[in-house]
Amino acid sequence: CLILPSHHCRRDSYELREFDGLRHVHVVAGAQRLQAIFSPRVSGERDRRLQLLAAGMSAIGSLHKARKWLVTRGDIQYSALWLLYAATPLAQIELLNAKRLVGREVIPEATALNPEFFKFVYTGLLGVRLTERAVRESLDTADAYLADRIPSLFGLVVEHLREVGEARSATE
């Protein structure tokens, strides 16, 4: 339920046009403004940490595949493809760490926040002749990026394991 000033209620479809993921929205007259509710800086901390965990796991999977194809098969094209797959979760991590909302077009926004990093893992892999050295450097850069963010990415898991004080199955 959204709370909006009464003069906004007549134009709710216009006000909500940019939120195409919303299906059923009830608008109620009130004092808060839509911008305050959907501000890019407003999000629950636990939700943000869960999104970081999911993005971190996705990035690790894609980067693992990229490294596997480079090391075991020497296939730099396929390795670069998996690096490009990893660019989306890496961009989500960049935005979430900046406390911004994650939408569909995360790579351009994350590239604006951290152009040097995304030059290695995204723009530097597009439309160029790939070399093993360039792909390996991109992989190493992405691995270092994730390693630097381990506490924020996987902190929920570590906290949970500390709380229970014993080994747990992956389904818990």
Side-chain angles (χ1 to χ4, degrees):
C1 184
L2 298 178
I3 302 172
L4 300 170
S6 58
H7 67 278
H8 280 64
C9 291
R10 289 183 298 276
R11 300 179 300 141
D12 61 313
S13 62
Y14 174 77
E15 293 290 326
L16 299 172
R17 71 188 182 286
E18 63 190 79
F19 301 104
D20 60 358
L22 299 177
R23 295 284 185 249
H24 303 289
V25 176
H26 302 282
V27 179
V28 177
Q32 292 179 318
R33 301 182 57 71
L34 182 66
Q35 291 80 10
I37 295 169
F38 286 107
S39 168
R41 301 271 178 205
V42 176
S43 178
E45 183 61 20
R46 182 161 172 81
D47 290 339
R48 187 182 74 80
R49 293 179 73 197
L50 285 169
Q51 289 177 347
L52 277 167
L53 176 62
M57 291 186 311
S58 180
I60 284 174
S62 295
L63 291 174
H64 175 73
K65 292 280 271 188
R67 190 162 302 277
K68 179 182 91 170
W69 280 96
L70 184 65
V71 171
T72 63
R73 307 258 167 71
D75 190 334
I76 60 174
Q77 300 293 328
Y78 206 54
S79 181
L81 176 65
W82 279 101
L83 263 164
L84 291 171
Y85 287 149
T88 296
L90 291 169
Q92 291 169 343
I93 292 166
E94 186 70 26
L95 293 177
L96 289 164
N97 278 328
K99 298 196 176 8
R100 301 218 181 162
L101 287 180
V102 174
R104 280 184 281 174
E105 302 297 327
V106 293
I107 294 174
E109 192 174 348
T111 300
L113 291 174
N114 192 346
E116 190 63 30
F117 173 69
F118 284 96
K119 180 179 79 174
F120 279 100
V121 297
Y122 187 71
T123 57
L125 300 172
L126 299 173
V128 298
R129 184 175 172 94
L130 295 171
T131 64
E132 182 177 343
R133 180 175 179 240
V135 172
R136 192 172 300 277
E137 190 173 85
S138 293
L139 272 169
D140 292 343
T141 301
D143 286 345
Y145 179 88
L146 287 178
D148 291 344
R149 288 156 180 80
I150 285 175
S152 70
L153 295 174
F154 304 109
L156 284 176
V157 174
V158 173
E159 289 169 15
H160 171 71
L161 292 173
R162 279 194 185 121
E163 284 176 18
V164 296
E166 60 185 22
R168 296 302 226 201
S169 72
T171 58
E172 287 188 50

